[in-house]
Amino acid sequence: MKSICGLSHFLDPDSPDQFYRIWTSLFLHVGIIHCVITIVFEIIVLPDLERLAGWLRIMLIFILSGIGGNIVSAFFTPYQAEVGPSGSLFGLIAALVMEVVDKWAILRDPLWDLGKLLLFIIILFIVGFLPFVDNYAHVGGFVFGLLSSAVLLPYIVMEKKTRMIVIAVAAPAFVILFTLFFLLFYLVEDFDCSGCKYFSCIPFTDTFCQNLDTKLLPRNSDLQGL
């Protein structure tokens, strides 16, 4: 495990636990192409969002949705090593969806605007069936992005009463959902779902989805034999 993870030493070699990776992985990439894709996406999406909501709110949505996407991915694919802000990027898309919903009454063609976003989400979701692209992080990031956006984004058109109801539902939902997956990841040992892997990679050929998992013994195995 140490040779794979690197970065820093484990506090307890018999029980490796580097929980900080749930957010540090958001700022790592597997190569220059991966990094360029992230930068181009952010150049296209972030300027408008930051002008609408401010950099602080968008930064919080970026980090919270990324952490949420990572914890969902870590539960469903615990032995698949991954880096990148894909959950955060889906969280930004969720913020755009919330902006369209809030400004529905003043947009010229809100259905068209929402349709373009949904088409973009579907395309990215289909891309998530390719190897080394994580649909669990995508879906988790989008859901946590919606919830955090509902709480953090400024509302311009929505009535105050409706806004308070949305925040009152979204804030506890975020906390409950994150706590649930956090506890599931740490308390449910050896989670085994044979069909879950097809949600993130469809084996179009016999070798299409091979070599995605890191070969490790389960957490309750005797690590002294490694």
Side-chain angles (χ1 to χ4, degrees):
M1 173 72 82
K2 180 179 177 181
S3 64
I4 295 172
C5 293
L7 196 59
S8 64
H9 295 287
F10 296 114
L11 296 177
D12 181 0
D14 293 333
S15 181
D17 183 11
Q18 297 181 346
F19 61 89
Y20 55 83
R21 291 178 180 276
I22 198 172
W23 68 81
T24 57
S25 63
L26 301 177
F27 308 100
L28 302 176
H29 297 79
V30 295
I32 186 64
I33 295 178
H34 187 196
C35 186
V36 168
I37 292 173
T38 298
I39 292 173
V40 170
F41 182 96
E42 292 175 348
I43 289 175
I44 294 173
V45 173
L46 280 180
D48 288 339
L49 277 176
E50 289 189 358
R51 280 192 288 267
L52 288 167
W55 68 268
L56 181 58
R57 290 188 178 96
I58 299 305
M59 180 191 71
L60 291 174
I61 293 171
F62 182 92
I63 294 176
L64 291 174
S65 56
I67 292 175
N70 279 349
I71 197 65
V72 172
S73 173
F75 174 68
F76 285 104
T77 56
Y79 298 110
Q80 188 167 318
E82 298 173 352
V83 294
S86 60
S88 296
L89 300 183
F90 264 77
L92 296 179
I93 298 174
L96 289 174
V97 172
M98 287 300 299
E99 286 288 348
V100 172
V101 172
D102 175 50
K103 298 170 179 60
W104 191 273
I106 62 175
L107 291 174
R108 179 178 301 176
D109 193 346
L111 280 177
W112 172 247
D113 293 331
L114 182 61
K116 288 188 295 184
L117 286 174
L118 293 179
L119 178 61
F120 187 48
I121 293 169
I122 292 172
I123 292 173
L124 292 178
F125 182 75
I126 293 173
V127 173
F129 289 119
L130 298 175
F132 303 104
V133 184
D134 188 0
N135 261 339
Y136 286 109
H138 291 174
V139 173
F142 185 81
V143 171
F144 282 102
L146 278 178
L147 295 175
S148 58
S149 297
V151 176
L152 295 171
L153 288 180
Y155 292 87
I156 297 176
V157 179
M158 190 178 296
E159 295 180 357
K160 183 177 181 180
K161 182 179 179 180
T162 305
R163 174 185 178 182
M164 296 307 296
I165 293 174
V166 170
I167 294 176
V169 172
F174 183 100
V175 174
I176 292 171
L177 194 60
F178 182 85
T179 303
L180 174 63
F181 275 100
F182 188 84
L183 293 177
L184 286 174
F185 175 69
Y186 276 100
L187 299 180
V188 178
E189 295 186 354
D190 307 330
F191 175 74
D192 184 18
C193 174
S194 58
C196 290
K197 60 183 179 181
Y198 299 117
F199 184 72
S200 196
C201 185
I202 297 179
F204 296 104
T205 67
D206 293 338
T207 60
F208 194 72
C209 295
Q210 286 186 354
N211 303 321
L212 294 182
D213 290 342
T214 303
K215 304 303 180 183
L216 299 173
L217 291 177
R219 278 179 283 184
N220 63 349
S221 297
D222 183 10
L223 296 178
Q224 300 297 330
L226 289 178

